[in-house]
């Protein structure tokens, strides 16, 4: 009995006449209806590609449908380089390694005459390529190991603040793909959990993944070097060692997915033959599955490359996509915008 | 204008007199208040141990408090053997390995005369212990590798259906600790995410973790063997190989936590010196931290062991717990019940 007047006094809406109430209800309903029909993928042009992605999401989320998948099993995996951000003219992490060689050079006078460091210091990409996989590995070990995990993350964060893409002259953090970020949000809004499964180094990528993609560290899988737990002046640290632990590329991607997630994804997104087995593993199981290849065919807005590119080579994937039911996204035709810009 | 009568007609509560409304409101409030004060840890005896756990959770979840931790950082890690379920007289996974040797023996007539298999077949625990770490490794490889990940999980599931604890004659799945399961639920209800960080095999444990503890596969970290992705009759599988990939024990636990989670936990629960570095890593950072050691001091309801036990040895942890501010839980005094029983 006491409550009625108290409630009314505190709630200004309670003083409105009945007609106004109805109008508010209707406005609420309209707002809701609009939110439900708003395009979740505005940077994707309307057409078969977008329609297929939306149809897949509707199929696995529609309760009672034959393709319904419970939320706990709605796992989507995304490659990073070339799928969520650019990878030309070189992987961003390689640019970091080269900058790091320059920063460390004063402590290593021998690098001036020793390959692959000499090539890195001189920006001689030809000599760097000639150093091959072994040379690249040497470069990675010299620039990615020898510090603690916290020190390394700080070095990467500091680098990202000033580093600029060599051709686009923009911070690397502005070069994520807007349509793909919308896709991440769209999937999450539909109960998916999203993992990044990258051939790149996991501790490099974790520095960016949460800010740029909303993907927390525990949902980033990547290549790694070994680490060791030890005490430094009585305080525990995790030290990064110059030894490969895991290469999360090609057949390593399903292995990494199984190791970290322990479940098979229902959707996989990649752009190169390094993602082939991840798409194969994802789409080989029964039920509704989505395999997507982002095809870099937009030389004007981004970079055009595929079968013959040393970075992000896409050859077998293009040959087999149709037969395997994988969706090939044309960046040129399917994307209204390319870059997301500043985070 | 049209809406008022429609709403009333459909809602039987709308016909109640004002006094009844008030009573319903009060009942609702009382129910709510009761839910808020209901003991979330009924299997823990009231006392300093329980009070300290509750105080920690309140401190890190109280908005605006000096020890407040945002939900994304509320990460708790639990050892499994001896912390979430029993580990005496031998790790349950060792019991699985021994049963597996028996099941596979017909295909390996040479095992009858070859150690450590001979000891396993004869149940000769003394000879088995004499085979040492190398012998145990041989046993694990022979029983845990050579099949696909899906085959292995099925073998473990089938085993768990009929296997019985040698002393308690109950299914292993009935031997999880009720107070610890309440703790998992209590932490989750307070916005924590819970990982298991076990020295045991990750793929063995993942078979149980979701059903028994509500912990999904992606939140189980453990020791692992290497795997390889390959096609079998055109279908992709992940094959388990007889090579150690990672030992998630002692100093390996912080390494595993960093590898899989990429963040430092704020609470860690263990029971043996194998968990020492995990507790050290967790509690060394600034801010409110909780390190807990479950002490097996209840020979009547479970098993009593610590400093001299070959399984679950707890020696350094007991010496240093007080100085490091770690909470030592007495199973005998702090737990009202021990086992959770059937899942």
């Amino acid at each position: 009995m006491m409550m009625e007047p108290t409630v009314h006094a505190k709630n200004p809406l309670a003083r409105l006449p009945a007609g106004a109430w109805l109008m508010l209800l209707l406005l609420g309903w309209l707002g809701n209806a609009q939110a439900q029909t708003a395009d979740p993928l505005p940077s994707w042009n309307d057409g078969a590609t977008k329609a297929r992605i939306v149809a897949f999401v509707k199929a696995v989320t529609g309760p009672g449908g034959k393709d319904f998948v419970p939320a706990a099993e709605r796992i989507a995996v995304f490659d990073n380089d070339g799928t969520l951000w650019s990878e030309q003219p070189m992987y961003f992490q390689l640019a970091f390694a080269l900058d790091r060689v320059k920063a460390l050079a004063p402590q290593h006078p021998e690098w001036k005459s020793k390959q692959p460091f000499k090539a890195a210091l001189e920006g001689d990409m030809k000599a760097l390529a000639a150093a091959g996989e072994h040379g690249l590995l040497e470069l990675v070990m010299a620039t990615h190991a020898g510090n603690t995990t916290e020190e390394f993350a700080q070095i990467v964060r500091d680098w990202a603040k000033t580093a600029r893409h060599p051709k686009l002259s923009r911070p690397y953090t502005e070069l994520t793909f807007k349509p793909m970020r919308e896709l991440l949000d769209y999937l999450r809004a539909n109960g998916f959990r999203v993992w990044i499964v990258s051939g790149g180094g996991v501790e490099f990528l974790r520095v960016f993944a949460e800010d740029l993609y909303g993907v927390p560290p525990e949902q980033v899988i990547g290549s790694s070097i070994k680490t060791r737990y030890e005490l430094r002046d009585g305080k525990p640290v995790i030290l990064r060692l110059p030894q490969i632990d895991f290469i999360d590329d090609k057949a390593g991607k399903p292995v990494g997915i199984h190791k970290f997630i322990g479940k098979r994804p229902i959707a996989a997104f990649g752009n190169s033959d390094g993602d082939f087995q991840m798409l194969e593993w994802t789409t080989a199981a029964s039920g509704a599955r989505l395999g997507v290849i982002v095809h870099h065919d937009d030389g004007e807005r981004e970079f055009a490359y595929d079968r013959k590119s040393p970075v992000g080579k896409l050859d077998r994937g293009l040959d087999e996509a149709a037969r395997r039911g994988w969706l090939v996204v044309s960046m040129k035709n399917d994307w209204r915008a390319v870059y997301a810009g500043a985070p």
Side-chain angles (χ1 to χ4, degrees), chain A residues 117-128:
Chain A
F117 302 99
K118 184 172 182 285
L121 288 171
E122 293 167 357
D124 181 350
M125 299 308 286
K126 220 172 183 174
L128 207 57

Side-chain angles (χ1 to χ4, degrees), chain A residues 257-278:
Chain A
I257 289 168
H258 183 76
K259 185 197 287 228
F260 281 77
I261 312 179
K263 289 177 187 166
R264 206 191 286 219
I266 65 167
F269 303 80
N271 77 293
S272 79
D273 284 351
D275 306 311
F276 191 93
Q277 287 86 352
M278 176 170 82

Side-chain angles (χ1 to χ4, degrees), chain A residues 166-185:
Chain A
K167 298 219 165 169
L168 305 169
S169 308
R170 295 170 69 180
Y172 290 102
T173 48
E174 293 186 8
L175 301 177
T176 62
F177 300 136
K178 193 158 190 269
M180 297 305 286
R181 287 177 57 170
E182 288 171 4
L183 198 50
L184 294 172
D185 289 337

Side-chain angles (χ1 to χ4, degrees), chain A residues 158-331:
Chain A
D158 289 343
W159 170 80
K161 277 181 211 154
T162 57
R164 294 293 178 271
H165 187 277
K167 298 219 165 169
L168 305 169
S169 308
R170 295 170 69 180
Y172 290 102
T173 48
E174 293 186 8
L175 301 177
T176 62
F177 300 136
K178 193 158 190 269
M180 297 305 286
R181 287 177 57 170
E182 288 171 4
L183 198 50
L184 294 172
D185 289 337
Y186 175 54
L187 291 171
R188 284 185 288 234
N190 280 280
F192 279 77
R193 273 167 314 148
V194 165
W195 264 262
I196 296 176
V197 181
S198 171
V202 63
E203 299 210 47
F204 178 82
L205 188 47
R206 277 176 173 170
V207 168
F208 304 105
E210 191 138 31
D211 279 356
L212 296 182
Y213 310 125
V215 176
E218 65 269 27
Q219 282 162 227
V220 180
I221 303 169
S223 296
S224 55
I225 57 177
K226 289 194 191 282
T227 64
R228 185 177 66 223
Y229 178 82
E230 64 174 41
L231 296 180
R232 275 197 179 174
D233 306 323
K235 279 193 69 172
V237 295
I238 295 178
L239 192 68
R240 292 169 56 78
L241 307 176
Q243 296 166 44
I244 291 290
D245 176 46
F246 178 60
I247 300 289
D248 190 50
D249 196 30
K250 301 188 177 74
K253 289 207 173 192
V255 166
I257 289 168
H258 183 76
K259 185 197 287 228
F260 281 77
I261 312 179
K263 289 177 187 166
R264 206 191 286 219
I266 65 167
F269 303 80
N271 77 293
S272 79
D273 284 351
D275 306 311
F276 191 93
Q277 287 86 352
M278 176 170 82
L279 266 72
E280 180 179 62
W281 175 242
T282 301
T283 59
S286 59
R289 293 289 184 274
L290 183 65
V292 175
I293 294 174
V294 175
H295 187 198
H296 292 260
D297 58 359
D298 192 335
E300 280 193 27
R301 295 187 299 175
E302 205 241 4
F303 301 92
Y305 59 97
D306 47 36
R307 295 183 190 274
K308 287 177 180 163
S309 175
V311 172
K313 177 179 171 181
L314 175 66
D315 189 31
R316 189 179 170 201
L318 279 182
D319 288 342
E320 300 192 20
R323 171 169 82 71
R324 290 175 180 265
W326 297 344
L327 181 63
V328 177
V329 171
S330 161
M331 289 176 68

Side-chain angles (χ1 to χ4, degrees), chain A residues 67-133:
Chain A
D67 289 322
F68 177 77
V69 176
E73 308 295 325
R74 281 179 218 153
I75 291 168
V77 286
F78 285 78
D79 168 57
N80 182 51
D81 294 309
T83 298
L84 294 178
W85 70 11
S86 286
E87 62 184 352
Q88 293 285 1
M90 66 176 113
Y91 296 124
F92 297 178
Q93 193 178 355
L94 179 56
F96 164 77
L98 297 184
D99 286 346
R100 199 73 200 127
V101 168
K102 285 172 198 146
L104 292 170
Q107 298 157 47
H108 297 273
E110 74 281 10
W111 283 357
K112 273 188 203 149
S113 54
K114 189 185 169 193
Q115 292 296 13
F117 302 99
K118 184 172 182 285
L121 288 171
E122 293 167 357
D124 181 350
M125 299 308 286
K126 220 172 183 174
L128 207 57
E133 208 169 299

